[in-house]
Amino acid sequence: IFSNAQVAHMSALPLTALRAFEAVAGWGLFVPLPNVCVTQSAVSHQIRNLEEWLGKPLFEREGNRTRLLPHG
């Protein structure tokens, strides 16, 4: 059971951040999301926002490639 504060915090997560996470996890790259008109730079920002929201990194960044971390 979640407290009201936890529920409010969870509801603040934007759907675009989850779409960005799905794309990066699948491709292993920060790629644009053409179906929702989101650029590569915006995807990168969305992932950083999601990581800040969760309080931990989701990916290991290696140059222009990424690797999903175990908790990601």
Side-chain angles (χ1 to χ4, degrees), residues 29-45:
L29 296 166
F30 286 89
V31 296
L33 303 176
N35 55 332
V36 289
C37 300
V38 177
T39 65
Q40 180 275 331
S41 178
V43 168
S44 181
H45 284 33

Side-chain angles (χ1 to χ4, degrees), residues 1-59:
I1 298 185
F2 297 106
S3 71
N4 288 341
Q6 289 171 316
V7 170
H9 182 68
M10 285 188 277
S11 67
L13 179 63
L15 184 56
T16 305
L18 294 176
R19 288 183 177 146
F21 172 79
E22 180 182 31
V24 174
W27 288 96
L29 296 166
F30 286 89
V31 296
L33 303 176
N35 55 332
V36 289
C37 300
V38 177
T39 65
Q40 180 275 331
S41 178
V43 168
S44 181
H45 284 33
Q46 289 291 336
I47 295 298
R48 290 225 185 266
N49 290 341
L50 182 58
E51 290 174 329
E52 287 178 19
W53 188 85
L54 294 170
K56 62 175 72 175
L58 299 172
F59 297 95

